[in-house]
Amino acid sequence: GAVVSQHPSRVICKSGTSVKIECRSLDFQATTMFWYRQFPKQSLMLMATSNEGSKATYEQGVEKDKFLINHASLTLSTLTVTSAHPEDSSFYICSARTDRYYNEQFFGPGTRLTVL
Amino acid sequence: AQSVTQPDIHITVSEGASLELRCNYSYGATPYLFWYVQSPGQGLQLLLKYFSGDTLVQGIKGFEAEFKRSQSSFNLRKPSVHWSDAAEYFCAVGARGGGNKLTFGTGTQLKVEL
């Protein structure tokens, strides 16, 4: 149980385009989802926290207009990287939390974004 | 704010040898503590967690960790390493309340020599 999927697993796009990444909880309802960014050989940095039906809360230094997060249902959150640039290339990982296991986060497999 | 320090960036051990990965945290109260493993290009897999109670925690794949409040540490151990254990290991601390955000350490890259 507690499986989280991400789609796509890998995406390559041209500079200036927008890219949407989906994060789904497959077998549970995720009241909260988290989005992380990981640069090569570095740790995970929390970008934002989203609760179903409300606006995401962004961490300091994260541009909310560039990284649009939507948590429209209890099983789906999306991260849209708008007007992507090469410096946005990174590994993006989502996680989800359910009320039943409030103190844990279940992680997705990640999405590798490469902006040319 | 909480923080996590993993002092060892890289560790190399021989297959069959014992392993200890260090983790020190900073937090004003008793935190939630986690160890995750990440293979290249993959997401995170939870190895074990500590919330309360017994300070020696058993996890998957033969790993264990011990919470030592006096040392603010949560070191990960395995008595006999297998070549498949080569990966990146992250220690994380979660705040009780306040959204239970996780703060990750910088990770330890484990290499296993055959």
Side-chain angles (χ1 to χ4, degrees), chain B residues 94-107:
Chain B
R96 294 177 184 258
N100 281 10
K101 294 179 182 179
L102 290 180
T103 299
F104 286 85
T106 50

Side-chain angles (χ1 to χ4, degrees), chain B residues 27-48:
Chain B
Y27 184 63
T30 301
Y32 299 129
L33 294 162
F34 305 84
W35 273 101
Y36 292 91
V37 61
Q38 184 181 36
S39 296
Q42 304 294 315
L44 300 182
Q45 181 181 23
L46 178 66
L47 287 176
L48 46 77

Side-chain angles (χ1 to χ4, degrees), chain A residues 6-18:
Chain A
Q6 280 185 243
H7 178 79
S9 58
R10 184 181 299 266
V11 58
I12 301 173
C13 69
K14 292 182 179 179
S15 185
T17 61
S18 295

Side-chain angles (χ1 to χ4, degrees), chain B residues 8 20 30 58 84 89 99 109:
Chain B
D8 305 304
E20 182 170 30
T30 301
Q58 301 297 321
S84 60
Y89 290 80
Q109 182 71 48

Side-chain angles (χ1 to χ4, degrees), chain B residues 18-80:
Chain B
S18 63
L19 171 70
E20 182 170 30
L21 303 183
R22 295 183 290 166
C23 173
N24 292 97
Y25 69 89
S26 174
Y27 184 63
T30 301
Y32 299 129
L33 294 162
F34 305 84
W35 273 101
Y36 292 91
V37 61
Q38 184 181 36
S39 296
Q42 304 294 315
L44 300 182
Q45 181 181 23
L46 178 66
L47 287 176
L48 46 77
K49 62 196 177 197
Y50 172 77
F51 289 167
S52 64
D54 193 345
T55 56
L56 184 61
V57 179
Q58 301 297 321
I60 62 171
K61 302 184 179 185
F63 286 94
E64 67 177 26
E66 186 171 10
F67 170 58
K68 293 186 177 180
R69 183 190 306 273
S70 61
Q71 299 177 20
S72 297
S73 69
F74 189 57
N75 295 347
L76 182 71
R77 300 191 295 249
K78 185 169 184 178
S80 178

Side-chain angles (χ1 to χ4, degrees), chain A residues 3-106:
Chain A
V3 179
V4 176
S5 70
Q6 280 185 243
H7 178 79
S9 58
R10 184 181 299 266
V11 58
I12 301 173
C13 69
K14 292 182 179 179
S15 185
T17 61
S18 295
V19 173
K20 180 183 285 188
I21 302 170
E22 293 186 347
C23 176
R24 293 182 184 273
S25 57
L26 299 185
D27 51 2
F28 66 99
Q29 293 185 325
T31 49
T32 305
M33 286 185 170
F34 303 85
W35 286 95
Y36 295 85
R37 183 173 182 177
Q38 185 180 30
F39 290 104
K41 300 191 183 301
Q42 294 190 26
S43 188
L44 281 76
M45 300 298 296
L46 179 65
M47 299 174 65
T49 303
S50 73
N51 293 297
E52 185 267 337
S54 59
K55 290 184 178 181
T57 301
Y58 291 81
E59 295 299 300
Q60 190 172 9
V62 177
E63 299 177 63
K64 60 180 67 176
D65 293 332
K66 166 166 274 297
F67 300 101
L68 300 179
I69 292 172
N70 184 279
H71 192 164
S73 77
L74 285 172
T75 60
L76 174 64
S77 176
T78 59
L79 167 67
T80 301
V81 182
T82 62
S83 187
H85 288 94
E87 58 265 30
D88 299 324
S89 298
S90 191
F91 194 56
Y92 292 88
I93 303 177
C94 73
S95 69
R97 184 178 70 200
T98 178
D99 285 345
R100 182 178 180 186
Y101 300 103
Y102 186 77
N103 300 320
E104 289 190 55
Q105 295 180 26
F106 302 97

